[in-house]
């Protein structure tokens, strides 16, 4: 992951509504949640929720799958792991005395 991709992911998660959506999906596990379930839990208007889900989806932070009329969302755990790894890999970099 390059710096621009990392910054974009962190920027999208820097919005409180998108962070709440993403955290909810992470808590839901691999089964994920429908858009309706997310809306019900977070009390976000449909058009607003759609906007935020599109932002997260455009960076692949969440995956969407349609089941009939239901749009199902899951967190992209591989990308989440990559973002965390990118941040952790810089921990104490160059500090040979205090390795984390």
């Amino acid at each position: 992951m390059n710096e621009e991709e990392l910054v974009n992911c962190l920027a999208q998660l820097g919005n409180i509504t998108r962070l709440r959506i993403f955290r909810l999906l992470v808590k839901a596990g691999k089964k994920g949640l429908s858009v309706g379930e997310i809306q019900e839990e977070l009390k976000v208007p449909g058009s607003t929720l759609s906007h935020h889900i599109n932002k997260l989806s455009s960076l692949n932070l969440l995956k969407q799958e349609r089941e009939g009329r239901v749009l199902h969302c899951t967190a992209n755990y591989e990308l989440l792991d990559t973002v965390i790894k990118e941040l952790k890999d810089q921990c104490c970099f160059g500090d040979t005395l205090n390795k984390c």
Side-chain angles (χ1 to χ4, degrees), residues 44-100:
V44 177
S47 60
T48 301
L49 182 61
S50 177
H51 165 76
H52 290 297
I53 286 175
N54 285 335
K55 291 280 192 178
L56 293 169
S57 181
S58 71
L59 288 174
N60 204 25
L61 285 163
L62 64 79
K63 298 176 183 179
Q64 296 177 308
E65 186 175 311
R66 185 164 294 284
E67 296 173 15
R69 294 178 10 153
V70 177
L71 186 58
H72 207 74
C73 300
T74 54
N76 183 343
Y77 291 99
E78 290 115 19
L79 183 56
L80 175 59
D81 288 342
T82 300
V83 168
I84 291 169
K85 182 181 180 315
E86 287 291 324
L87 295 172
K88 285 178 67 177
D89 282 352
Q90 299 303 309
C91 178
C92 306
F93 185 76
D95 185 353
T96 56
L97 296 177
N98 296 309
K99 275 295 185 195
C100 299

Side-chain angles (χ1 to χ4, degrees), residues 17-25 38 42 49 52 56:
T17 302
R18 288 192 284 275
L19 179 62
R20 288 178 178 155
I21 293 166
F22 193 72
R23 289 171 93 180
L24 190 62
L25 290 173
I38 296 168
L42 298 180
L49 182 61
H52 290 297
L56 293 169

